[in-house]
Amino acid sequence: MITGNFPINRFKEEETPFYYYDTDVLRDTLDSLKRILADSPDFKVHYAVKANANPEILRIIAKAGLGADCVSGGEILAAVNAGFAGNKIVYAGVGKTDKEINIGIDNDIFCFNVESVSEVEVINDLAAAKGKVVKVAIRVNPDVGAHTHANITTGLAENKFGIAMADLDSVIALCRNLPNIEFIGLHFHIGSQILDMSDFVALCNRICEIVTHLRARGIEIPDINVGGGLGIDYKHPNHHPIPDFDAYFNTFRRNLKLRPGQTLHFELGRAIVAQCGSLISRVVFVKQGTHKKFVILDAGMTDLIRPALYHSYHRIENISSDSTIIERYDVVGPVCESSDVFGKEVDLPETHRGDFIAIRSAGAYGEVMASQYNCRSLPHSLLL
Ligand code: LLP
């Protein structure tokens, strides 16, 4: 059984559960991203802060020179505090409050990705009150599906995100008429955990159609933002610790021909942080049920909600047992919900109370989605 290289002796000093981040994996991922983008100065990556807002993780990513993609005023402040330059921050979200819009304006962010007519009008008024002109890109709902979980598909007409293509011309006209708005481009995002590059090809085709339609009306689009969504290999974190950035960026290079002066923006979250993180817990009890054995952890759905919420697969490893006997267990948490299950029928070396269990590929949408349900404590983190 292949497992990651875990500093077990160091773990013994920690109260469990906690998120362990292997900063070498994060740095290797960022290096690989930078290498691949070195010859594409017209490609800009904004890290999607929603995937993991741990301040130390943010600092490492900011130092690597990436921009930030935020979806709340809180995320803008977290990004700025971690060292992201305001002029590399993009801000999306269907329900930006006045307070949040003002945080964006005060930090001179690169652009607001706007999602409705009322939002454009409110941003214009708030910018006028501060005597500023703010940059705006229109988030378009491209009606392009993605072959991923229904809860994380965002680019279909039935989803709440973006402005319908039929309304695009009128919203662009509105932006161009408002004195405190500078219209700079279009924003898209079709979903998350996408591994089939043909979904991104479909997005590129839709973008080409829209840009051609707008050019014919004399409207240039200097900035195109294709959102995030590149998936990772949850089954084999050790074999594929770094996502296939080459295939991803080449898909856009081949299918979206940029004009001189145009910039293509990306908002990758999961692909950057998922594989560097594991949720580390101790086994509280091993229990023989009527038909199966349960491994009961001190980590639960409050620490990592993805399996309960999306039936997501995470690789589960017993990182402290050296038994050669393999047993089949359901691995569960202590929370009073039947959905508090990390994995069913998981083959593990014979497992005992006190063993360390690692739940892999948990660096994205893990710690940041933790809750205190059942008055549980939030998990802490360990970066090594
Ligand atoms: N840009 C926008 C506008 C987004 O809505 C998202 C994610 C991203 C970028 C980053 O997507 P990524 O590169 O990470 O796929 N909690 C779910 C994922 C929700 C994604 C929401 N939007 C999960 O645990 O799978």
Side-chain angles (χ1 to χ4, degrees):
M1 174 169 295
I2 299 178
T3 60
N5 199 7
F6 291 101
I8 295 278
N9 284 335
R10 178 66 186 77
F11 288 178
K12 287 181 183 153
E13 297 164 24
E14 293 292 319
E15 195 183 326
T16 46
F18 62 91
Y19 275 89
Y20 162 61
Y21 297 110
D22 183 335
T23 53
D24 286 340
V25 172
L26 177 58
R27 289 201 171 86
D28 288 350
T29 307
L30 292 165
D31 286 348
S32 142
L33 193 58
K34 281 204 289 195
R35 249 194 328 274
I36 288 165
L37 292 178
D39 53 357
S40 295
D42 44 1
F43 282 15
K44 301 255 181 282
V45 176
H46 307 263
Y47 164 65
V49 172
K50 66 174 80 63
N52 189 320
N54 181 299
E56 291 179 69
I57 297 276
L58 289 183
R59 268 195 287 277
I60 294 172
I61 298 173
K63 253 202 188 134
L66 269 59
D69 158 39
C70 299
V71 288
S72 70
E75 283 193 356
I76 295 175
L77 294 175
V80 169
N81 285 339
F84 286 94
N87 64 6
K88 287 189 183 174
I89 293 178
V90 294
Y91 177 21
V94 291
K96 303 176 184 81
T97 62
D98 291 14
K99 184 176 168 191
E100 293 180 304
I101 292 170
N102 278 326
I103 291 175
I105 299 175
D106 290 342
N107 284 284
D108 296 314
I109 63 170
F110 174 67
C111 122
F112 288 81
N113 294 325
V114 300
E115 312 220 12
S116 62
V117 169
S118 342
E119 184 190 334
V120 177
E121 290 166 347
V122 170
I123 293 177
N124 182 66
D125 291 350
L126 295 173
K130 291 179 186 283
K132 290 192 177 182
V133 173
V134 304
K135 293 198 178 101
V136 155
I138 296 178
R139 177 166 182 180
V140 182
N141 186 325
D143 202 15
V144 169
H147 297 96
T148 184
H149 192 282
N151 288 10
I152 52 177
T153 303
T154 44
L156 287 174
E158 68 197 50
N159 298 129
K160 67 181 173 186
F161 301 100
I163 285 176
M165 281 181 298
D167 301 329
L168 191 53
D169 289 2
S170 65
V171 182
I172 292 178
L174 170 70
C175 287
R176 293 172 113 203
N177 273 334
L178 291 172
N180 297 81
I181 297 280
E182 183 190 347
F183 169 72
I184 63 158
L186 303 176
H187 173 232
F188 303 83
H189 175 74
I190 54 171
S192 198
Q193 182 53 17
I194 297 169
L195 291 166
D196 184 346
M197 292 302 123
S198 65
D199 289 333
F200 293 118
V201 174
L203 173 63
C204 289
N205 292 341
R206 182 52 54 85
I207 294 175
C208 291
E209 270 168 46
I210 296 173
V211 170
T212 309
H213 160 92
L214 293 173
R215 284 205 86 224
R217 280 158 184 71
I219 299 166
E220 292 297 336
I221 306 294
D223 291 273
I224 302 174
N225 182 335
V226 295
L230 174 62
I232 60 128
D233 189 347
Y234 280 97
K235 291 251 146 94
H236 308 105
N238 297 321
H239 293 113
H240 298 126
I242 297 179
D244 195 350
F245 289 128
D246 255 327
Y248 175 71
F249 289 112
N250 281 334
T251 301
F252 290 94
R253 283 194 188 105
R254 283 194 204 111
N255 295 283
L256 261 187
K257 292 278 169 266
L258 295 181
R259 306 181 66 79
Q262 256 182 342
T263 304
L264 196 59
H265 301 262
F266 300 85
E267 301 173 340
L268 294 178
R270 188 190 315 267
I272 294 173
V273 289
Q275 297 292 33
C276 75
S278 297
L279 176 61
I280 307 295
S281 62
R282 282 189 177 88
V283 176
V284 186
F285 300 115
V286 177
K287 162 170 154 174
Q288 178 65 60
T290 316
H291 302 298
K292 43 171 109 174
K293 272 190 179 163
F294 294 95
V295 165
I296 304 169
L297 305 180
D298 57 10
M301 63 192 284
T302 51
D303 305 296
L304 176 66
I305 201 173
R306 302 193 69 257
L309 198 55
Y310 316 113
H311 296 119
S312 309
Y313 173 87
H314 284 263
R315 188 179 158 87
I316 298 172
E317 295 170 356
N318 183 327
I319 54 174
S320 53
S321 166
D322 46 19
S323 171
T324 51
I325 302 165
I326 300 294
E327 296 258 14
R328 186 157 286 185
Y329 304 99
D330 278 12
V331 180
V332 303
V335 174
C336 299
E337 298 275 344
S338 333
S339 57
D340 187 24
V341 175
F342 289 114
K344 290 197 167 166
E345 303 191 349
V346 182
D347 288 336
L348 294 175
E350 192 175 33
T351 295
H352 301 282
R353 172 175 165 80
D355 284 354
F356 278 104
I357 300 288
I359 303 180
R360 305 288 307 276
S361 314
Y365 307 109
E367 186 182 0
V368 81
M369 290 179 81
S371 78
Q372 292 195 295
Y373 181 44
N374 285 188
C375 291
R376 287 170 55 78
S377 307
L378 289 173
H380 64 285
S381 62
L382 176 69
L383 280 86
L384 295 175

